[in-house]
Amino acid sequence: MHTVNIRVTIGVAFLLMSILVQASADQHLSEPSEHPDSQRISVQTQGSGKDVILIPGLASSREIWTDLAAGLRTRHRIHLVELAGFADTPAVSSLDGKVIAPAADAIAEYIRTRHIKAPVIIGHSLGGEIALMLGARHPDQVGRLMVVDALPFYTLMIDPAATSETAVRQATAMRDGVMAQSPEQIIKFQKTSIARLARTEAVRPALVAAGNRSDRKTVADAVYELMTTDLRPELGHIKAPVEVVYAYDALFGVPAASVDTMYRHAYTSAPDIHFTRIDDSFHFVMLDQPERFSSVVESFLNK
């Protein structure tokens, strides 16, 4: 099972392990957030109808949602979030080095100040952790949650017995590894890692470019926070139904049943949880299997 945890969830798992080893189209109606923490996020909106908030992952652009948003905006109002320091949204300084928790609070404030009623939250990877934080820490502000290829505690991929305390040493090494890389190493690393995160070769250049545009310290701090934040004890506070969508590919080299078990075990304490596996996909499910992913989202929204 230890091998499964490292190899199966190749999204953030590969990113973190690699660091350790290596030590808009059609986006319109721009609407920047105006609450006190607005510098933590930027938001663009599309369409009208029931509110759906889309949150991308580590060093990712909101453009990963372009195809999904195009299909949803005829009947939904889409809020495309991008975190400060990722892709094209300017970084902000943080005295405590936190990225994820402040972003979750900023989105909660965005929901409150815009008087958005029971929005659907869909988060990929690091965005999935933000979705879980929103559900657990602001339970009355969300209607439904979809977590895409993410676990409530990422270090479980490396050590199934990990705790937030035992993760500190490895998390520190990961963070320091990001900061120590030369510009040439970063470019090489981005290309190597994205090849293992996206099965579809055509989408890789845009993902690499977004990573290269991201602020290095923000990424390093986010990696540390991901590795030391265990949300499992908080899952019981979530009132909204949660759908966990995760990827599987035979190239993972493990049985699909082992992947199923890993996800279900990680979310044991969630009161209303459902799982959907999308096969023949790497970490960026919405890009590797856009039609299947859109179908899953449509079914989720129509429940």
Side-chain angles (χ1 to χ4, degrees):
M1 189 61 183
H2 182 77
T3 301
V4 171
N5 283 339
I6 294 177
R7 296 184 64 186
V8 170
T9 312
I10 61 173
V12 174
F14 179 81
L15 175 62
L16 300 181
M17 291 302 292
S18 296
I19 296 169
L20 185 60
V21 172
Q22 296 182 22
S24 286
D26 203 17
Q27 292 180 336
H28 61 294
L29 196 59
S30 177
E31 187 178 336
S33 48
E34 298 171 352
H35 49 78
D37 285 330
S38 62
Q39 69 271 22
R40 291 287 186 174
I41 60 171
S42 65
V43 184
Q44 294 178 350
T45 61
Q46 300 178 1
S48 61
K50 183 174 178 57
D51 292 283
V52 179
I53 298 175
L54 303 176
I55 313 169
L58 183 69
S60 289
S61 163
R62 70 179 109 241
E63 292 179 3
I64 67 165
W65 304 115
T66 296
D67 288 347
L68 178 66
L72 294 181
R73 66 183 175 226
T74 58
R75 289 167 289 108
H76 300 84
R77 183 166 64 152
I78 309 301
H79 305 257
L80 294 152
V81 174
E82 195 167 276
L83 271 63
F86 292 171
D88 298 308
T89 299
V92 296
S93 60
S94 174
L95 295 177
D96 59 3
K98 297 289 187 181
V99 176
I100 302 167
D105 290 340
I107 295 171
E109 186 69 0
Y110 175 85
I111 293 169
R112 187 187 67 80
T113 58
R114 298 302 176 94
H115 306 290
I116 301 171
K117 303 299 183 184
V120 173
I121 312 293
I122 302 177
H124 174 245
S125 193
L126 175 146
E129 180 148 341
I130 291 175
L132 293 173
M133 282 186 177
L134 283 167
R137 300 176 185 181
H138 307 275
D140 295 325
Q141 290 187 277
V142 300
R144 287 179 172 272
L145 298 174
M146 176 178 282
V147 177
V148 184
D149 217 49
L151 293 175
F153 183 30
Y154 274 106
T155 306
L156 295 175
M157 302 177 223
I158 300 169
D159 177 7
T163 66
S164 294
E165 292 73 24
T166 63
V168 168
R169 182 181 60 82
Q170 283 181 314
T172 300
M174 303 293 188
R175 181 184 60 197
D176 293 348
V178 172
M179 296 304 296
Q181 287 181 327
S182 68
E184 294 78 17
Q185 287 174 321
I186 290 175
I187 292 172
K188 181 179 179 181
F189 168 69
Q190 286 287 344
K191 291 180 179 179
T192 301
S193 61
I194 290 300
R196 290 164 172 80
L197 303 178
R199 194 175 194 262
T200 306
E201 189 171 351
V203 306
R204 293 174 184 170
L207 297 173
V208 170
N212 287 334
R213 295 196 306 272
S214 297
D215 177 69
R216 188 190 305 200
K217 186 177 186 303
T218 303
V219 172
D221 287 342
V223 166
Y224 182 89
E225 190 178 358
L226 271 175
M227 293 193 68
T228 56
T229 301
D230 185 357
L231 292 176
R232 290 175 297 174
E234 300 185 48
L235 297 180
H237 301 311
I238 299 175
K239 297 178 181 180
V242 180
E243 182 85 17
V244 178
V245 179
Y246 59 97
Y248 177 76
D249 195 283
L251 293 175
F252 292 173
V254 296
S258 297
V259 184
D260 298 339
T261 299
M262 181 182 69
Y263 273 93
R264 282 159 174 75
H265 182 72
Y267 284 96
T268 299
S269 59
D272 188 355
I273 188 85
H274 306 274
F275 299 89
T276 299
R277 192 183 76 217
I278 295 182
D279 293 343
D280 302 316
S281 177
F282 288 179
H283 183 53
F284 283 90
V285 187
M286 72 294 294
L287 302 179
D288 282 340
Q289 295 294 342
E291 292 183 4
R292 271 189 268 175
F293 181 72
S294 293
S295 177
V296 169
V297 171
E298 289 280 6
S299 296
F300 175 70
L301 294 175
N302 291 330
K303 286 182 179 178

PDB file of all heavy atoms in Angstrom, residues 247-266:
ATOM      1  N   ALA A 247      -8.597  10.325 -10.759  1.00  0.00           N
ATOM      2  CA  ALA A 247      -8.097   9.739 -12.007  1.00  0.00           C
ATOM      3  C   ALA A 247      -7.511   8.353 -11.771  1.00  0.00           C
ATOM      4  O   ALA A 247      -7.016   8.033 -10.692  1.00  0.00           O
ATOM      5  CB  ALA A 247      -7.032  10.648 -12.607  1.00  0.00           C
ATOM      6  N   TYR A 248      -7.561   7.564 -12.833  1.00  0.00           N
ATOM      7  CA  TYR A 248      -6.842   6.288 -12.841  1.00  0.00           C
ATOM      8  C   TYR A 248      -6.374   5.998 -14.265  1.00  0.00           C
ATOM      9  O   TYR A 248      -7.085   6.262 -15.234  1.00  0.00           O
ATOM     10  CB  TYR A 248      -7.708   5.122 -12.369  1.00  0.00           C
ATOM     11  CG  TYR A 248      -6.962   3.807 -12.470  1.00  0.00           C
ATOM     12  CD1 TYR A 248      -5.981   3.479 -11.537  1.00  0.00           C
ATOM     13  CD2 TYR A 248      -7.184   2.933 -13.535  1.00  0.00           C
ATOM     14  CE1 TYR A 248      -5.256   2.305 -11.649  1.00  0.00           C
ATOM     15  CE2 TYR A 248      -6.465   1.760 -13.649  1.00  0.00           C
ATOM     16  CZ  TYR A 248      -5.499   1.453 -12.707  1.00  0.00           C
ATOM     17  OH  TYR A 248      -4.771   0.289 -12.823  1.00  0.00           O
ATOM     18  N   ASP A 249      -5.159   5.478 -14.343  1.00  0.00           N
ATOM     19  CA  ASP A 249      -4.618   5.042 -15.618  1.00  0.00           C
ATOM     20  C   ASP A 249      -3.798   3.780 -15.386  1.00  0.00           C
ATOM     21  O   ASP A 249      -3.131   3.651 -14.349  1.00  0.00           O
ATOM     22  CB  ASP A 249      -3.737   6.129 -16.244  1.00  0.00           C
ATOM     23  CG  ASP A 249      -3.440   5.870 -17.713  1.00  0.00           C
ATOM     24  OD1 ASP A 249      -2.585   5.007 -17.989  1.00  0.00           O
ATOM     25  OD2 ASP A 249      -4.066   6.512 -18.573  1.00  0.00           O
ATOM     26  N   ALA A 250      -3.840   2.863 -16.315  1.00  0.00           N
ATOM     27  CA  ALA A 250      -3.071   1.629 -16.177  1.00  0.00           C
ATOM     28  C   ALA A 250      -1.580   1.891 -16.019  1.00  0.00           C
ATOM     29  O   ALA A 250      -0.851   1.081 -15.442  1.00  0.00           O
ATOM     30  CB  ALA A 250      -3.325   0.717 -17.384  1.00  0.00           C
ATOM     31  N   LEU A 251      -1.119   3.047 -16.510  1.00  0.00           N
ATOM     32  CA  LEU A 251       0.293   3.403 -16.378  1.00  0.00           C
ATOM     33  C   LEU A 251       0.688   3.650 -14.924  1.00  0.00           C
ATOM     34  O   LEU A 251       1.887   3.703 -14.616  1.00  0.00           O
ATOM     35  CB  LEU A 251       0.606   4.640 -17.219  1.00  0.00           C
ATOM     36  CG  LEU A 251       0.501   4.461 -18.738  1.00  0.00           C
ATOM     37  CD1 LEU A 251       0.719   5.790 -19.450  1.00  0.00           C
ATOM     38  CD2 LEU A 251       1.513   3.427 -19.228  1.00  0.00           C
ATOM     39  N   PHE A 252      -0.301   3.784 -14.031  1.00  0.00           N
ATOM     40  CA  PHE A 252       0.023   3.916 -12.615  1.00  0.00           C
ATOM     41  C   PHE A 252       0.704   2.663 -12.096  1.00  0.00           C
ATOM     42  O   PHE A 252       1.426   2.699 -11.110  1.00  0.00           O
ATOM     43  CB  PHE A 252      -1.237   4.169 -11.793  1.00  0.00           C
ATOM     44  CG  PHE A 252      -1.887   5.501 -12.024  1.00  0.00           C
ATOM     45  CD1 PHE A 252      -3.105   5.785 -11.438  1.00  0.00           C
ATOM     46  CD2 PHE A 252      -1.300   6.477 -12.814  1.00  0.00           C
ATOM     47  CE1 PHE A 252      -3.724   7.016 -11.626  1.00  0.00           C
ATOM     48  CE2 PHE A 252      -1.907   7.707 -13.014  1.00  0.00           C
ATOM     49  CZ  PHE A 252      -3.120   7.971 -12.425  1.00  0.00           C
ATOM     50  N   GLY A 253       0.447   1.524 -12.756  1.00  0.00           N
ATOM     51  CA  GLY A 253       1.120   0.284 -12.384  1.00  0.00           C
ATOM     52  C   GLY A 253       0.546  -0.408 -11.166  1.00  0.00           C
ATOM     53  O   GLY A 253       1.194  -1.276 -10.580  1.00  0.00           O
ATOM     54  N   VAL A 254      -0.664  -0.048 -10.761  1.00  0.00           N
ATOM     55  CA  VAL A 254      -1.321  -0.684  -9.617  1.00  0.00           C
ATOM     56  C   VAL A 254      -2.772  -0.975  -9.983  1.00  0.00           C
ATOM     57  O   VAL A 254      -3.331  -0.350 -10.893  1.00  0.00           O
ATOM     58  CB  VAL A 254      -1.266   0.223  -8.366  1.00  0.00           C
ATOM     59  CG1 VAL A 254       0.171   0.429  -7.910  1.00  0.00           C
ATOM     60  CG2 VAL A 254      -1.933   1.554  -8.646  1.00  0.00           C
ATOM     61  N   PRO A 255      -3.411  -1.901  -9.282  1.00  0.00           N
ATOM     62  CA  PRO A 255      -4.814  -2.201  -9.585  1.00  0.00           C
ATOM     63  C   PRO A 255      -5.718  -1.007  -9.288  1.00  0.00           C
ATOM     64  O   PRO A 255      -5.495  -0.265  -8.325  1.00  0.00           O
ATOM     65  CB  PRO A 255      -5.132  -3.373  -8.651  1.00  0.00           C
ATOM     66  CG  PRO A 255      -3.811  -3.948  -8.273  1.00  0.00           C
ATOM     67  CD  PRO A 255      -2.854  -2.797  -8.256  1.00  0.00           C
ATOM     68  N   ALA A 256      -6.749  -0.880 -10.107  1.00  0.00           N
ATOM     69  CA  ALA A 256      -7.705   0.204  -9.889  1.00  0.00           C
ATOM     70  C   ALA A 256      -8.363   0.080  -8.519  1.00  0.00           C
ATOM     71  O   ALA A 256      -8.658   1.092  -7.865  1.00  0.00           O
ATOM     72  CB  ALA A 256      -8.762   0.189 -10.987  1.00  0.00           C
ATOM     73  N   ALA A 257      -8.566  -1.148  -8.057  1.00  0.00           N
ATOM     74  CA  ALA A 257      -9.202  -1.344  -6.752  1.00  0.00           C
ATOM     75  C   ALA A 257      -8.370  -0.754  -5.623  1.00  0.00           C
ATOM     76  O   ALA A 257      -8.918  -0.283  -4.617  1.00  0.00           O
ATOM     77  CB  ALA A 257      -9.430  -2.832  -6.502  1.00  0.00           C
ATOM     78  N   SER A 258      -7.063  -0.765  -5.770  1.00  0.00           N
ATOM     79  CA  SER A 258      -6.195  -0.183  -4.742  1.00  0.00           C
ATOM     80  C   SER A 258      -6.356   1.339  -4.685  1.00  0.00           C
ATOM     81  O   SER A 258      -6.314   1.951  -3.611  1.00  0.00           O
ATOM     82  CB  SER A 258      -4.739  -0.536  -5.021  1.00  0.00           C
ATOM     83  OG  SER A 258      -4.530  -1.929  -4.950  1.00  0.00           O
ATOM     84  N   VAL A 259      -6.556   1.934  -5.852  1.00  0.00           N
ATOM     85  CA  VAL A 259      -6.790   3.378  -5.904  1.00  0.00           C
ATOM     86  C   VAL A 259      -8.118   3.712  -5.227  1.00  0.00           C
ATOM     87  O   VAL A 259      -8.220   4.654  -4.440  1.00  0.00           O
ATOM     88  CB  VAL A 259      -6.782   3.875  -7.357  1.00  0.00           C
ATOM     89  CG1 VAL A 259      -6.917   5.387  -7.408  1.00  0.00           C
ATOM     90  CG2 VAL A 259      -5.531   3.418  -8.078  1.00  0.00           C
ATOM     91  N   ASP A 260      -9.140   2.919  -5.545  1.00  0.00           N
ATOM     92  CA  ASP A 260     -10.449   3.130  -4.928  1.00  0.00           C
ATOM     93  C   ASP A 260     -10.346   3.084  -3.407  1.00  0.00           C
ATOM     94  O   ASP A 260     -10.890   3.937  -2.703  1.00  0.00           O
ATOM     95  CB  ASP A 260     -11.426   2.060  -5.404  1.00  0.00           C
ATOM     96  CG  ASP A 260     -11.676   2.083  -6.900  1.00  0.00           C
ATOM     97  OD1 ASP A 260     -11.428   3.129  -7.530  1.00  0.00           O
ATOM     98  OD2 ASP A 260     -12.114   1.044  -7.423  1.00  0.00           O
ATOM     99  N   THR A 261      -9.623   2.092  -2.911  1.00  0.00           N
ATOM    100  CA  THR A 261      -9.480   1.915  -1.465  1.00  0.00           C
ATOM    101  C   THR A 261      -8.766   3.097  -0.829  1.00  0.00           C
ATOM    102  O   THR A 261      -9.151   3.568   0.250  1.00  0.00           O
ATOM    103  CB  THR A 261      -8.716   0.612  -1.167  1.00  0.00           C
ATOM    104  OG1 THR A 261      -9.456  -0.490  -1.687  1.00  0.00           O
ATOM    105  CG2 THR A 261      -8.514   0.433   0.332  1.00  0.00           C
ATOM    106  N   MET A 262      -7.731   3.577  -1.480  1.00  0.00           N
ATOM    107  CA  MET A 262      -6.978   4.693  -0.930  1.00  0.00           C
ATOM    108  C   MET A 262      -7.862   5.922  -0.735  1.00  0.00           C
ATOM    109  O   MET A 262      -7.839   6.562   0.328  1.00  0.00           O
ATOM    110  CB  MET A 262      -5.802   5.043  -1.836  1.00  0.00           C
ATOM    111  CG  MET A 262      -4.953   6.198  -1.310  1.00  0.00           C
ATOM    112  SD  MET A 262      -3.602   6.658  -2.412  1.00  0.00           S
ATOM    113  CE  MET A 262      -4.496   7.365  -3.787  1.00  0.00           C
ATOM    114  N   TYR A 263      -8.653   6.252  -1.751  1.00  0.00           N
ATOM    115  CA  TYR A 263      -9.509   7.431  -1.645  1.00  0.00           C
ATOM    116  C   TYR A 263     -10.591   7.247  -0.584  1.00  0.00           C
ATOM    117  O   TYR A 263     -10.850   8.155   0.219  1.00  0.00           O
ATOM    118  CB  TYR A 263     -10.123   7.755  -3.003  1.00  0.00           C
ATOM    119  CG  TYR A 263      -9.232   8.636  -3.833  1.00  0.00           C
ATOM    120  CD1 TYR A 263      -8.330   8.093  -4.740  1.00  0.00           C
ATOM    121  CD2 TYR A 263      -9.262  10.021  -3.696  1.00  0.00           C
ATOM    122  CE1 TYR A 263      -7.488   8.902  -5.498  1.00  0.00           C
ATOM    123  CE2 TYR A 263      -8.426  10.838  -4.440  1.00  0.00           C
ATOM    124  CZ  TYR A 263      -7.546  10.268  -5.340  1.00  0.00           C
ATOM    125  OH  TYR A 263      -6.713  11.071  -6.064  1.00  0.00           O
ATOM    126  N   ARG A 264     -11.214   6.109  -0.572  1.00  0.00           N
ATOM    127  CA  ARG A 264     -12.279   5.890   0.397  1.00  0.00           C
ATOM    128  C   ARG A 264     -11.758   5.904   1.831  1.00  0.00           C
ATOM    129  O   ARG A 264     -12.413   6.439   2.734  1.00  0.00           O
ATOM    130  CB  ARG A 264     -13.003   4.577   0.089  1.00  0.00           C
ATOM    131  CG  ARG A 264     -13.985   4.719  -1.071  1.00  0.00           C
ATOM    132  CD  ARG A 264     -14.342   3.397  -1.725  1.00  0.00           C
ATOM    133  NE  ARG A 264     -15.380   3.592  -2.733  1.00  0.00           N
ATOM    134  CZ  ARG A 264     -15.160   4.131  -3.943  1.00  0.00           C
ATOM    135  NH1 ARG A 264     -13.946   4.546  -4.266  1.00  0.00           N
ATOM    136  NH2 ARG A 264     -16.153   4.264  -4.802  1.00  0.00           N
ATOM    137  N   HIS A 265     -10.593   5.366   2.039  1.00  0.00           N
ATOM    138  CA  HIS A 265     -10.015   5.356   3.381  1.00  0.00           C
ATOM    139  C   HIS A 265      -9.693   6.779   3.841  1.00  0.00           C
ATOM    140  O   HIS A 265      -9.902   7.129   5.007  1.00  0.00           O
ATOM    141  CB  HIS A 265      -8.749   4.498   3.400  1.00  0.00           C
ATOM    142  CG  HIS A 265      -8.121   4.399   4.741  1.00  0.00           C
ATOM    143  ND1 HIS A 265      -8.668   3.668   5.780  1.00  0.00           N
ATOM    144  CD2 HIS A 265      -6.983   4.959   5.238  1.00  0.00           C
ATOM    145  CE1 HIS A 265      -7.895   3.781   6.847  1.00  0.00           C
ATOM    146  NE2 HIS A 265      -6.867   4.557   6.545  1.00  0.00           N
ATOM    147  N   ALA A 266      -9.184   7.615   2.935  1.00  0.00           N
ATOM    148  CA  ALA A 266      -8.793   8.979   3.306  1.00  0.00           C
ATOM    149  C   ALA A 266      -9.993   9.822   3.712  1.00  0.00           C
ATOM    150  O   ALA A 266      -9.863  10.739   4.528  1.00  0.00           O
ATOM    151  CB  ALA A 266      -8.054   9.643   2.148  1.00  0.00           C
TER     152      ALA A 266
END
